[in-house]
Amino acid sequence: MPAREITKLTLYGDCASGNCMKTRFIADALGVDYDWVEINVVGKETQTDEFLAINPAGQVPLARWPNGRILPQSNAIMLYLAETTPGGERFIPSDPFARGQMMSWLFWEQYSHETAIAVRRYHKHLLGKSDDDIDPGLLPKGRRALGVMELQLTYTDYMVGESLTLADVALVAYTRWAHEGGFDLSEFPAVRRWVSRVETDLDIEHAQAA
Amino acid sequence: MPAREITKLTLYGDCASGNCMKTRFIADALGVDYDWVEINVVGKETQTDEFLAINPAGQVPLARWPNGRILPQSNAIMLYLAETTPGGERFIPSDPFARGQMMSWLFWEQYSHETAIAVRRYHKHLLGKSDDDIDPGLLPKGRRALGVMELQLTYTDYMVGESLTLADVALVAYTRWAHEGGFDLSEFPAVRRWVSRVETDLDIEHAQAA
């Protein structure tokens, strides 16, 4: 990562990371002007002295502004961009309880979904490990997370009611790549339909396995 | 867990869980009237058919209202109570960037802090496992998390600037019990002072090891 002058919002991230791609999905949807600095996680570029000086937590994505401010955490970056960019209010329910439900899914995504589906994909797809060398608990944990989503999406078209919110953006990031982690979305038909719906809404390439 | 009529906000939780206690700290600080239903996590009371019918994710804490609405996820419950209760605005910065920083800490707490410090405490203190039977990665991961907090608290009295926010409430819940997970807070003097400060602010018993 070369030292660089920051002249506009700069997003540091890895294109192979769903967490990082979330911040691009929202920035692109909002028409925010930003620079992207690719940081290779597998190559340990988040653990260099130079990157740790910017973010001591050693994690991407990271948002950085010309005034020196930085903000880590994918879901916090999405929330901040949506709250402070004209048009961003369409991604956040105005009803307090619906907003609470969105927040609840955002925390659940990081605690119960990413930690199984993204982690298994990381080991299988990015590190190339065989199934025998991957924590056997990740497959049932991830299938349970997909089952929780399937139940919700049987009732509503989106994770919170009938329109796209940040909860959908957060959850689609790794769900659309779940097959790379060895998860079969054909077991979860409502989830599969929702992935296509959200990809269309965000105008991103359909990445889901056939 | 007996079936019950819900006549006011009801919080389902385990008093031995920091995640659950967060919701009480905020409800108490705001003077919210609520019922507490104790759910024993070690005793697998979150996995009963009756509890899963209320929260398919099988997790506590859970907030439930007389109108049938439910909200899971500790940090989402705290946010909702603070946003909808008079006086709650004092726990959420009005400045958008400071609010973004608070959100960032809330997500970091669930992803990088709870998953090491709370998990090691769960195995050591609640399940009574010996150190040899606990994932050896949890101790360095938790120490790194405490180091990230120490760095912030060297500069500011609270996690976001100079006043208490939900980020402090979320992070104090397990940090004050970190010694039960085998973490030595004397290595992190700014964190230790901050724990006492937040316990005093919230008027909760000082639980930290001497």
Side-chain angles (χ1 to χ4, degrees):
Chain A
M1 187 185 78
R4 54 183 300 126
E5 191 189 357
I6 303 293
T7 58
K8 61 176 85 162
L9 167 64
T10 301
L11 297 175
Y12 296 78
D14 183 329
C15 278
S17 153
N19 281 332
C20 296
M21 292 305 291
K22 290 175 194 175
T23 67
R24 286 181 69 156
F25 295 156
I26 282 294
D28 289 341
L30 294 172
V32 171
D33 186 23
Y34 64 94
D35 282 327
W36 179 265
V37 177
E38 184 72 15
I39 299 286
N40 187 295
V41 173
V42 173
K44 301 197 184 302
E45 290 181 4
T46 53
Q47 304 306 309
T48 63
D49 288 344
E50 190 184 1
F51 188 77
L52 290 171
I54 306 175
N55 183 12
Q59 294 167 335
V60 283
L62 182 78
R64 190 181 184 192
W65 285 268
N67 62 7
R69 285 179 164 177
I70 63 146
L71 195 65
Q73 294 292 326
S74 58
N75 291 349
I77 295 168
M78 288 204 306
L79 275 162
Y80 180 76
L81 292 178
E83 283 186 358
T84 58
T85 308
E89 62 280 358
R90 72 179 186 274
F91 294 104
I92 301 176
S94 55
D95 173 71
F97 187 73
R99 194 163 62 245
Q101 291 178 301
M102 181 191 80
M103 294 306 310
S104 183
W105 284 119
L106 291 179
F107 287 109
W108 179 83
E109 185 264 330
Q110 286 288 285
Y111 195 79
S112 297
H113 181 283
E114 201 265 11
T115 48
I117 293 171
V119 170
R120 195 168 199 280
R121 170 182 173 269
Y122 182 79
H123 288 285
K124 186 179 177 73
H125 182 69
L126 297 181
L127 298 184
K129 290 186 185 174
S130 70
D131 285 359
D132 288 346
D133 293 330
I134 299 174
D135 176 353
L138 294 176
L139 200 57
K141 182 180 177 185
R143 293 185 72 255
R144 181 164 182 174
L146 292 167
V148 169
M149 293 175 67
E150 179 75 11
L151 183 62
Q152 179 63 49
L153 293 165
T154 304
Y155 292 105
T156 55
D157 279 352
Y158 294 90
M159 295 306 295
V160 181
E162 301 306 327
S163 60
L164 186 80
T165 72
L166 297 181
D168 301 290
V169 185
L171 281 161
V172 88
Y174 284 109
T175 305
R176 64 198 286 266
W177 285 339
H179 55 284
E180 296 178 353
F183 297 95
D184 180 2
L185 285 194
S186 69
E187 298 176 60
F188 305 98
V191 171
R192 194 153 72 161
R193 287 191 298 272
W194 164 87
V195 167
S196 292
R197 191 177 303 135
V198 177
E199 286 176 336
T200 299
D201 289 348
L202 292 174
D203 196 22
I204 53 180
E205 196 180 340
H206 290 278
Q208 196 182 346
Chain B
M1 187 185 79
R4 54 183 299 126
E5 191 188 357
I6 303 293
T7 58
K8 62 176 83 161
L9 167 63
T10 301
L11 297 174
Y12 296 77
D14 184 328
C15 278
S17 153
N19 282 333
C20 297
M21 291 306 292
K22 290 175 195 174
T23 67
R24 286 181 70 156
F25 295 156
I26 282 294
D28 288 341
L30 293 172
V32 171
D33 186 23
Y34 63 94
D35 281 327
W36 179 266
V37 177
E38 184 73 15
I39 300 286
N40 187 296
V41 172
V42 173
K44 300 195 184 303
E45 290 181 4
T46 54
Q47 305 306 309
T48 62
D49 289 344
E50 190 185 2
F51 188 77
L52 290 170
I54 306 176
N55 183 12
Q59 294 167 335
V60 283
L62 182 77
R64 191 180 183 192
W65 285 268
N67 62 8
R69 284 178 165 177
I70 63 144
L71 195 64
Q73 294 292 327
S74 58
N75 291 349
I77 295 168
M78 287 204 307
L79 275 162
Y80 180 76
L81 293 178
E83 283 186 358
T84 58
T85 307
E89 63 279 359
R90 72 180 186 272
F91 293 105
I92 301 177
S94 56
D95 173 71
F97 187 73
R99 195 163 62 244
Q101 291 178 302
M102 181 191 81
M103 294 305 311
S104 183
W105 285 120
L106 291 179
F107 286 109
W108 179 82
E109 184 265 330
Q110 286 287 284
Y111 195 79
S112 297
H113 181 283
E114 201 265 11
T115 49
I117 293 171
V119 170
R120 195 167 199 280
R121 170 182 174 267
Y122 182 79
H123 288 284
K124 187 179 178 73
H125 182 70
L126 296 181
L127 298 184
K129 290 185 185 174
S130 69
D131 285 359
D132 288 347
D133 292 331
I134 298 175
D135 176 354
L138 295 177
L139 201 56
K141 183 180 176 185
R143 293 185 72 253
R144 180 164 183 173
L146 292 168
V148 168
M149 292 175 67
E150 180 75 11
L151 183 61
Q152 179 63 49
L153 293 166
T154 303
Y155 292 106
T156 55
D157 279 352
Y158 294 90
M159 294 307 295
V160 181
E162 303 306 326
S163 61
L164 185 81
T165 72
L166 296 181
D168 301 290
V169 185
L171 280 161
V172 87
Y174 284 109
T175 305
R176 63 198 287 266
W177 285 339
H179 56 283
E180 296 178 352
F183 297 95
D184 180 3
L185 285 194
S186 69
E187 298 177 61
F188 306 98
V191 171
R192 196 154 71 163
R193 286 191 298 271
W194 163 87
V195 167
S196 292
R197 191 178 303 136
V198 176
E199 287 176 335
T200 299
D201 289 348
L202 292 174
D203 195 21
I204 53 181
E205 196 181 341
H206 290 277
Q208 195 182 347

